[in-house]
Amino acid sequence: MRPRIVMLSGVTRQNRHVVMSELNDAILKAGGWVEGHSLFSNIATTFRLVLPASALGLFRESVRDTGIALDDDSATKLDDLGKNGRSEDEEVRLTLNVTFIHDEPDLRRDVPAVPG
Protein backbone atom coordinates (compact mmCIF):
# COMPACT_ATOMS: atom_id res chain seq x y z
CA MET A 1 0.00 0.00 0.00
CA ARG A 2 1.31 3.45 -0.90
CA PRO A 3 1.77 5.94 1.95
CA ARG A 4 -0.83 8.69 2.16
CA ILE A 5 0.38 12.11 1.05
CA VAL A 6 -1.20 15.10 2.76
CA MET A 7 -1.65 18.06 0.41
CA LEU A 8 -1.33 21.56 1.89
CA SER A 9 -1.55 24.96 0.25
CA GLY A 10 -0.93 28.57 1.15
CA VAL A 11 -0.24 32.02 -0.25
CA THR A 12 2.26 34.76 0.45
CA ARG A 13 3.18 38.26 -0.66
CA GLN A 14 6.80 37.79 0.46
CA ASN A 15 9.75 37.49 -1.92
CA ARG A 16 9.74 33.98 -3.38
CA HIS A 17 13.50 33.47 -3.04
CA VAL A 18 13.43 34.35 0.66
CA VAL A 19 10.32 32.27 1.34
CA MET A 20 11.71 29.19 -0.41
CA SER A 21 14.95 29.41 1.56
CA GLU A 22 13.16 29.97 4.88
CA LEU A 23 10.73 27.14 4.14
CA ASN A 24 13.63 24.78 3.45
CA ASP A 25 15.19 25.84 6.77
CA ALA A 26 11.86 25.28 8.57
CA ILE A 27 11.62 21.74 7.18
CA LEU A 28 15.16 20.90 8.28
CA LYS A 29 14.62 22.51 11.70
CA ALA A 30 11.58 20.27 12.20
CA GLY A 31 13.73 17.20 11.52
CA GLY A 32 12.32 16.59 8.05
CA TRP A 33 13.67 16.69 4.55
CA VAL A 34 12.67 17.85 1.09
CA GLU A 35 12.16 15.04 -1.40
CA GLY A 36 11.79 17.48 -4.29
CA HIS A 37 10.17 20.63 -5.53
CA SER A 38 8.59 22.02 -8.67
CA LEU A 39 8.65 25.65 -9.75
CA PHE A 40 5.80 27.12 -11.77
CA SER A 41 7.33 30.27 -13.25
CA ASN A 42 7.38 32.90 -10.51
CA ILE A 43 3.77 32.17 -9.61
CA ALA A 44 3.99 29.09 -7.40
CA THR A 45 6.15 26.29 -6.07
CA THR A 46 5.35 22.88 -4.68
CA PHE A 47 7.54 21.21 -2.07
CA ARG A 48 7.39 17.44 -1.53
CA LEU A 49 8.57 16.75 2.00
CA VAL A 50 8.64 14.30 4.87
CA LEU A 51 8.33 15.29 8.54
CA PRO A 52 8.25 13.35 11.80
CA ALA A 53 4.73 13.40 13.27
CA SER A 54 6.09 14.97 16.45
CA ALA A 55 7.20 18.08 14.51
CA LEU A 56 3.94 18.98 12.76
CA GLY A 57 3.09 21.76 15.24
CA LEU A 58 6.57 23.25 14.98
CA PHE A 59 6.34 23.09 11.19
CA ARG A 60 2.99 24.88 11.16
CA GLU A 61 4.40 27.71 13.29
CA SER A 62 7.52 27.94 11.13
CA VAL A 63 5.42 28.14 7.95
CA ARG A 64 3.45 31.01 9.48
CA ASP A 65 6.70 32.75 10.45
CA THR A 66 7.88 32.68 6.82
CA GLY A 67 4.85 34.76 5.83
CA ILE A 68 2.89 31.91 4.25
CA ALA A 69 -0.81 31.90 5.11
CA LEU A 70 -2.10 28.34 5.01
CA ASP A 71 -5.69 27.95 3.86
CA ASP A 72 -8.20 26.73 6.45
CA ASP A 73 -8.28 23.17 5.09
CA SER A 74 -4.48 22.87 5.29
CA ALA A 75 -4.33 24.23 8.83
CA THR A 76 -7.05 21.78 9.90
CA LYS A 77 -5.21 18.87 8.26
CA LEU A 78 -2.01 19.70 10.17
CA ASP A 79 -3.94 19.98 13.45
CA ASP A 80 -5.74 16.67 12.84
CA LEU A 81 -2.50 14.88 11.95
CA GLY A 82 -0.94 16.05 15.18
CA LYS A 83 -3.89 14.81 17.24
CA ASN A 84 -4.25 11.36 15.67
CA GLY A 85 -2.14 9.62 18.29
CA ARG A 86 0.67 8.89 15.85
CA SER A 87 3.96 7.53 17.02
CA GLU A 88 6.36 10.44 17.52
CA ASP A 89 8.87 8.98 15.07
CA GLU A 90 6.28 8.15 12.39
CA GLU A 91 7.03 9.89 9.09
CA VAL A 92 4.33 12.02 7.47
CA ARG A 93 4.56 12.72 3.75
CA LEU A 94 3.33 16.16 2.66
CA THR A 95 3.16 18.45 -0.32
CA LEU A 96 3.01 22.19 0.20
CA ASN A 97 1.94 24.38 -2.70
CA VAL A 98 2.80 28.04 -2.19
CA THR A 99 1.31 30.69 -4.47
CA PHE A 100 3.19 33.98 -4.69
CA ILE A 101 1.10 37.14 -4.98
CA HIS A 102 3.10 39.92 -6.65
CA ASP A 103 3.14 42.51 -9.43
CA GLU A 104 6.10 41.07 -11.33
CA PRO A 105 5.72 39.95 -14.94
CA ASP A 106 5.78 36.22 -15.65
CA LEU A 107 9.23 34.72 -15.51
CA ARG A 108 10.28 33.77 -19.04
CA ARG A 109 12.91 31.19 -19.90
CA ASP A 110 14.43 30.73 -23.34
CA VAL A 111 14.16 27.14 -24.45
CA PRO A 112 16.91 26.20 -26.90
CA ALA A 113 15.89 24.59 -30.18
CA VAL A 114 16.57 20.87 -30.18
CA PRO A 115 17.39 19.33 -33.54
CA GLY A 116 15.17 16.48 -34.31
Side-chain angles (χ1 to χ4, degrees), residues 10 46 82 85 106 116:
T46 298
D106 287 347

mmCIF file of all heavy atoms in Angstrom, residues 10 46 82 85 106 116:
data_model
loop_
_atom_site.group_PDB
_atom_site.id
_atom_site.type_symbol
_atom_site.label_atom_id
_atom_site.label_comp_id
_atom_site.label_asym_id
_atom_site.label_seq_id
_atom_site.Cartn_x
_atom_site.Cartn_y
_atom_site.Cartn_z
ATOM 1 N N GLY A 10 -0.938 27.261 0.515
ATOM 2 C CA GLY A 10 -0.928 28.566 1.149
ATOM 3 C C GLY A 10 -0.527 29.638 0.155
ATOM 4 O O GLY A 10 -0.154 29.339 -0.987
ATOM 5 N N THR A 46 5.862 23.982 -5.474
ATOM 6 C CA THR A 46 5.347 22.878 -4.682
ATOM 7 C C THR A 46 6.529 22.113 -4.099
ATOM 8 O O THR A 46 7.418 21.695 -4.829
ATOM 9 C CB THR A 46 4.483 21.920 -5.529
ATOM 10 O OG1 THR A 46 3.363 22.640 -6.026
ATOM 11 C CG2 THR A 46 3.998 20.741 -4.705
ATOM 12 N N GLY A 82 -1.626 15.985 13.903
ATOM 13 C CA GLY A 82 -0.938 16.048 15.183
ATOM 14 C C GLY A 82 -1.715 15.422 16.318
ATOM 15 O O GLY A 82 -1.148 15.012 17.321
ATOM 16 N N GLY A 85 -2.807 10.625 17.472
ATOM 17 C CA GLY A 85 -2.140 9.621 18.287
ATOM 18 C C GLY A 85 -1.062 8.863 17.533
ATOM 19 O O GLY A 85 -0.845 7.687 17.773
ATOM 20 N N ASP A 106 5.445 37.640 -15.651
ATOM 21 C CA ASP A 106 5.777 36.221 -15.653
ATOM 22 C C ASP A 106 7.258 36.031 -15.940
ATOM 23 O O ASP A 106 7.857 36.756 -16.738
ATOM 24 C CB ASP A 106 4.973 35.469 -16.719
ATOM 25 C CG ASP A 106 3.509 35.305 -16.331
ATOM 26 O OD1 ASP A 106 3.182 35.542 -15.156
ATOM 27 O OD2 ASP A 106 2.713 34.936 -17.205
ATOM 28 N N GLY A 116 15.876 17.723 -34.463
ATOM 29 C CA GLY A 116 15.166 16.478 -34.307
ATOM 30 C C GLY A 116 14.404 16.070 -35.467
ATOM 31 O O GLY A 116 13.735 15.204 -35.647
#
